[in-house]
Amino acid sequence: MSQARIVYLNGDFLPFAEARVPIMDRGFLFADGIYEVSAVLDGRLVDNEAHLARLDRSLGEIDIRNPHSLSEWVALQTDLVARNGLSEGLVYMQVTRGVYERDFAYPPADTAPTVMMFTQAKAVAKNPLAESGAKVITVPDLRWKRRDIKSVALLAQVLAKQQAAAAGVAEAWMVEDDAVTEGSSSTAFIITKGGTLVTRPLSTALLPGITRQAVLRLAAETGLTLEERLFGVAEAKDAAEAFYTSASAFVMPVVAIDGHVVGEGRPGAHTRRLRELYLGMARESV
Ligand code: PMP
């Protein structure tokens, strides 16, 4: 990035080093906040309205007033992307319950939420991992019971991702009651040898992935049969193909699970096609 990094904090666009949040911020003390991430490709936000709709829903689920309308969010994001000269990467948005003397119960209703956004430059489309395929490990799902809320409380995911890093792989798939819930920061999919695309149905057990939603829509064009149901690690290892999705990974082929080679050990044809379809959609999105 050529320009100095600019971030957004509570109404101001500031140089990164000048953006400060008080220690009594409830995001800092209690992880009492929500975040959202939209990808940027060719300088444009990808599937952004769906991300902003999920942000609104997550905020509502924990009684934080959404400080901005959809069009205000889009204007702020667009401004931030331009100020940072970002053509490819991510916009991160975070809203916490604001700053107040530490107390578990909510602060007074007129406490202003803390609103923060930053960008990250990242090769989301030309990601070399998508060429080779990613390896994943499986780990126990240690999280709370409202994973449909995109809370900033990500300690279990931090621990899972660190286990993946220590194992030299890109992602950890979390497992509960013998079924894969989702990746530590992605949605898990398999394609069976019979040509069925399988992913877990939405519930409070996992995040409703925005990329998941888009991929299920696009999969209708591929001739794959769709099944939203639980699947276990053994079934995933035995699948013809596997992949995970997220705003930053798009459609990421999985070539090994816990050291077991999936399919032919390289990105499968259906997965590559879904990635292409997704990239096509992303490049058209405004
Ligand atoms: N599950 C979890 C736990 C995640 O953190 C993410 C990434 N935010 C996803 C799924 C994928 O969601 P999306 O496609 O909306 O990025």
Side-chain angles (χ1 to χ4, degrees):
M1 235 182 305
S2 51
Q3 291 111 314
R5 191 179 195 185
I6 300 293
V7 303
Y8 174 85
L9 181 62
N10 297 330
D12 294 314
F13 291 95
L14 300 168
F16 177 74
E18 287 173 30
R20 302 266 164 84
V21 177
I23 62 165
M24 288 296 180
D25 192 275
R26 294 183 60 101
F28 182 58
L29 293 175
F30 297 119
D32 186 359
I34 298 296
Y35 77 109
E36 194 51 63
V37 180
S38 289
V40 174
L41 195 56
D42 304 333
R44 289 181 309 181
L45 291 149
V46 177
D47 215 357
N48 188 45
E49 290 208 358
H51 283 282
L52 291 174
R54 185 174 64 187
L55 175 63
D56 187 67
R57 180 198 179 258
S58 290
L59 288 167
E61 290 298 303
I62 65 165
D63 311 315
I64 296 181
R65 174 178 61 82
N66 188 341
H68 297 300
S69 66
L70 179 75
S71 59
E72 285 169 354
W73 276 115
V74 173
L76 291 170
Q77 292 171 298
T78 307
D79 198 345
L80 190 67
V81 165
R83 285 172 193 259
N84 286 282
L86 185 72
S87 64
E88 190 169 333
L90 305 172
V91 179
Y92 177 96
M93 299 148 265
Q94 179 172 309
V95 181
T96 77
R97 205 180 303 277
V99 180
Y100 199 71
E101 186 62 34
R102 186 178 185 275
D103 184 2
F104 283 80
Y106 294 174
D110 61 356
T111 305
T114 301
V115 185
M116 182 274 283
M117 305 197 315
F118 58 80
T119 58
Q120 288 180 324
K122 193 175 172 188
V124 282
K126 284 182 235 82
N127 183 346
L129 196 58
E131 301 301 317
S132 59
K135 296 176 180 172
V136 305
I137 55 166
T138 60
V139 299
D141 196 333
L142 303 178
R143 296 174 300 163
W144 73 325
K145 293 179 179 163
R146 288 301 309 277
R147 303 159 192 160
D148 55 314
I149 298 171
K150 201 163 170 60
S151 152
V152 295
L154 293 172
L155 185 54
Q157 286 96 318
V158 166
L159 298 177
K161 200 71 100 179
Q162 181 53 33
Q163 274 185 264
V169 303
E171 178 60 306
W173 280 10
M174 297 182 286
V175 178
E176 181 174 69
D177 299 334
D178 298 323
V180 174
T181 43
E182 56 186 332
S184 65
S185 61
S186 61
T187 307
F189 289 78
I190 58 170
I191 301 173
T192 67
K193 288 172 177 153
T196 302
L197 179 63
V198 182
T199 196
R200 190 175 175 120
L202 297 183
S203 69
T204 51
L206 75 168
L207 188 77
I210 302 304
T211 322
R212 171 193 187 279
Q213 188 179 303
V215 163
L216 288 180
R217 216 168 43 227
L218 295 166
E221 296 175 29
T222 63
L224 287 165
T225 310
L226 307 185
E227 249 178 47
E228 293 183 60
R229 63 163 171 82
L230 273 56
F231 62 91
V233 177
E235 186 181 5
K237 285 179 177 170
D238 191 45
E241 298 182 29
F243 63 91
Y244 58 83
T245 61
S246 73
S248 55
F250 294 164
V251 175
M252 182 58 66
V254 169
V255 294
I257 301 173
D258 290 335
H260 179 101
V261 171
V262 175
E264 291 169 9
R266 52 188 147 84
H270 290 300
T271 304
R272 283 188 280 117
R273 171 100 178 104
L274 285 170
R275 185 175 174 88
E276 270 169 36
L277 287 171
Y278 187 84
L279 279 164
M281 182 222 72
R283 291 213 154 92
E284 280 161 25
S285 59
V286 182

